Amino acid sequence: MVSNFSDQKIIDSWEKNVEPWVLSVREGEIQSRVLVTNHAIVDVVLAEKPKTVLDIGCGEGWLVRELAAAGVDTLGIDAIPALIASAEKAGGGRFKVLPIEHLSSQTLGETYDALVCNFSLLGKECVDQLFQLAPSLLKEGGSIIVQTVHPSMGGGEGYEDAWREESWVGFNRQFSDPAPWYFRTLESWVALFSRADLKFVSLREPRHPETGFPVSIIFVGMKVSEHVDICR
Amino acid sequence: MVSNFSDQKIIDSWEKNVEPWVLSVREGEIQSRVLVTNHAIVDVVLAEKPKTVLDIGCGEGWLVRELAAAGVDTLGIDAIPALIASAEKAGGGRFKVLPIEHLSSQTLGETYDALVCNFSLLGKECVDQLFQLAPSLLKEGGSIIVQTVHPSMGGGEGYEDAWREESWVGFNRQFSDPAPWYFRTLESWVALFSRADLKFVSLREPRHPETGFPVSIIFVGMKVSEHVDICR
């Protein structure tokens, strides 16, 4: 029996919602993505001028296709086989079924100029694991770029790290078996970077063009082995 | 004629409100300070284990007295002569009248393990100046610690860098001629650190014990000349 609030439950639930999700993304039905956050993540990634990118939790693959079209060699990975199947069917990039738990530079046989996680860090332990792994997946000076729900815009559910239930509010299509997600405070997000010895470089707050308030937050960290470059 | 929204207007207005301010602080009349933010800033500063601290915008001097009592050699500076007079009268630390505009390691004749700004970065240009100056005031590995209003808890006034009017709401005493203050988004606060080449180390969100929501934010940055320590 899988707990209602666990990393495994997220996978189980998303496996049941692949079809409405793929259609929601591809038909441009999620307003905040179309208006704000899709452009925002592409801009931040391209500003880092990476040659190679790993898109962690790539879903049906739109960001991989965008980056590949801009000339960036991008691999998309996701834990859900049906999402990767859908990504491969659309083409325009490299894709692989790979849950964070099995992620390593050995499994992948390469390292990257940038890791991107676009609204894909939904879990608890697996996110802690990912940050511990991240430096080993990055080339020296490489970036980790994370877009997620803005912690301060979460509203009235309290302000502490905790599991929450996805409501699927704002989606047109029929979703079932809501996936849980693990809420982190701003303080906790920033601490993930420092615990992993990733230099916290910047923070962006993409804003809704009408309300003027942030609809998401983007963190950029960097792998800096402070000892290397200088003494050679 | 001083503009209603300028660094100079902040000084002018605070000069008229020294007496109610000193009494409000010393009588413990500002609930969020007594319950949350006073302890929070002291804890964060002492956790850095500084031997010497510069308290920038020290006001009537309570934080200087706290740190000095904990064995930290602390100098408090403020632009308002009457606040420094009140601080010196209370004793328990070193104080000096010095606006940020005149601040430099030459003027002070010393550098510090930590700079602390506790709800004192209210202006626009002078805050930009301070961040540019900060590395020259710090010893290698030294910290800059800034507590301020949490940008995301500001409510309905829009979310962009802009001058705002202090309402003095929540104060018991008679304040006059409200001081303006310059609101910065979270993104802008973090950018101040990176523009000044200060390593962004951590971020704290001291929370109200009853509501559970943050009442302030504390940023910690560090002066790291990445080239020095390693190659010796």
Side-chain angles (χ1 to χ4, degrees):
Chain A
M1 174 75 190
V2 173
S3 155
N4 272 339
F5 291 120
S6 64
D7 290 359
Q8 186 55 48
K9 173 69 184 172
I10 296 175
I11 305 286
D12 290 359
S13 168
W14 277 88
E15 277 180 335
K16 295 177 192 158
N17 288 290
V18 165
E19 199 189 317
W21 176 254
V22 171
L23 289 168
S24 292
V25 173
R26 293 196 181 159
E27 303 294 323
E29 291 174 1
I30 310 166
Q31 199 209 28
S32 61
R33 291 195 170 221
V34 176
L35 275 180
V36 186
T37 67
N38 285 358
H39 288 295
I41 190 74
V42 170
D43 289 351
V44 171
V45 173
L46 293 181
E48 299 289 316
K49 301 198 191 327
K51 288 192 186 121
T52 56
V53 167
L54 179 65
D55 180 358
I56 298 168
C58 66
E60 55 69 56
W62 77 269
L63 181 55
V64 172
R65 291 191 292 278
E66 284 279 331
L67 296 175
V72 184
D73 178 10
T74 309
L75 173 66
I77 61 171
D78 204 286
I80 316 276
L83 282 169
I84 291 295
S86 147
E88 284 177 330
K89 203 167 163 197
R94 298 190 290 132
F95 299 96
K96 193 182 172 79
V97 178
L98 194 63
I100 287 174
E101 291 77 2
H102 298 163
L103 184 58
S104 76
S105 55
Q106 287 76 35
T107 327
L108 292 166
E110 51 188 25
T111 54
Y112 302 88
D113 295 326
L115 311 178
V116 185
C117 310
N118 188 50
F119 295 109
S120 59
L121 301 188
L122 307 168
K124 189 180 176 194
E125 288 85 2
C126 68
V127 173
D128 296 329
Q129 277 173 42
L130 173 65
F131 271 82
Q132 291 307 312
L133 268 174
S136 71
L137 300 171
L138 282 170
K139 296 185 198 297
E140 184 61 27
S143 306
I144 174 166
I145 300 158
V146 175
Q147 181 163 229
T148 188
V149 172
H150 198 300
S152 304
M153 303 295 152
E157 286 196 61
Y159 195 75
E160 58 187 338
D161 292 12
W163 284 102
R164 291 191 181 179
E165 195 148 294
E166 169 65 70
S167 65
W168 302 118
V169 164
F171 290 84
N172 294 336
R173 294 178 187 273
Q174 205 64 44
F175 286 84
S176 61
D177 191 18
W181 61 288
Y182 192 72
F183 175 85
R184 290 166 204 267
T185 64
L186 187 60
E187 177 174 325
S188 296
W189 276 110
V190 173
L192 281 170
F193 286 81
S194 52
R195 276 206 304 276
D197 256 335
L198 291 157
K199 182 177 170 183
F200 190 89
V201 176
S202 70
L203 177 160
R204 306 294 179 84
E205 298 178 290
R207 290 184 285 161
H208 195 284
E210 283 156 31
T211 68
F213 282 91
V215 293
S216 69
I217 196 163
I218 301 179
F219 303 105
V220 182
M222 189 188 281
K223 175 180 177 175
V224 189
S225 304
E226 287 166 7
H227 312 218
V228 177
D229 266 9
I230 299 104
C231 308
R232 280 187 294 203
Chain B
M1 174 77 190
V2 173
S3 155
N4 272 339
F5 291 119
S6 65
D7 290 358
Q8 186 55 48
K9 173 69 184 172
I10 297 174
I11 305 288
D12 291 358
S13 168
W14 277 88
E15 277 179 336
K16 296 178 191 155
N17 288 290
V18 164
E19 198 189 318
W21 177 254
V22 171
L23 289 169
S24 292
V25 173
R26 293 195 179 159
E27 303 295 323
E29 290 174 2
I30 309 166
Q31 197 208 31
S32 61
R33 291 195 170 223
V34 176
L35 274 180
V36 186
T37 66
N38 285 358
H39 289 295
I41 192 71
V42 171
D43 289 351
V44 171
V45 173
L46 294 182
E48 299 290 317
K49 302 196 192 325
K51 287 190 189 123
T52 56
V53 167
L54 178 66
D55 181 357
I56 298 168
C58 66
E60 56 68 57
W62 77 269
L63 181 55
V64 172
R65 292 191 291 277
E66 283 280 330
L67 296 174
V72 184
D73 177 10
T74 309
L75 173 66
I77 62 170
D78 205 286
I80 315 276
L83 282 169
I84 291 296
S86 147
E88 282 177 331
K89 202 167 164 196
R94 297 189 291 131
F95 300 96
K96 193 180 171 77
V97 178
L98 194 63
I100 287 174
E101 291 77 3
H102 298 163
L103 184 58
S104 76
S105 54
Q106 286 76 36
T107 327
L108 292 166
E110 51 188 24
T111 56
Y112 302 88
D113 295 325
L115 312 178
V116 185
C117 312
N118 188 50
F119 295 108
S120 58
L121 301 187
L122 305 169
K124 190 180 175 194
E125 288 85 2
C126 68
V127 173
D128 296 330
Q129 276 173 41
L130 173 67
F131 271 83
Q132 291 308 313
L133 270 175
S136 72
L137 300 171
L138 283 170
K139 294 185 198 297
E140 184 60 27
S143 306
I144 173 167
I145 301 159
V146 176
Q147 180 162 231
T148 188
V149 172
H150 198 300
S152 303
M153 302 295 153
E157 286 196 62
Y159 195 76
E160 58 188 338
D161 291 12
W163 284 101
R164 292 192 181 179
E165 195 148 295
E166 169 65 68
S167 65
W168 302 117
V169 163
F171 291 85
N172 294 338
R173 295 178 187 272
Q174 204 65 43
F175 286 84
S176 61
D177 190 18
W181 61 287
Y182 192 72
F183 175 85
R184 288 166 204 267
T185 64
L186 187 59
E187 179 175 322
S188 296
W189 276 110
V190 173
L192 282 171
F193 287 82
S194 52
R195 275 207 303 278
D197 257 334
L198 291 158
K199 181 177 171 183
F200 190 89
V201 175
S202 71
L203 177 161
R204 307 294 177 84
E205 298 178 290
R207 290 186 283 161
H208 195 285
E210 282 157 31
T211 68
F213 282 92
V215 292
S216 69
I217 196 163
I218 301 178
F219 304 104
V220 182
M222 188 186 284
K223 175 180 177 175
V224 189
S225 304
E226 286 165 10
H227 312 217
V228 178
D229 266 7
I230 298 105
C231 307
R232 281 188 293 206

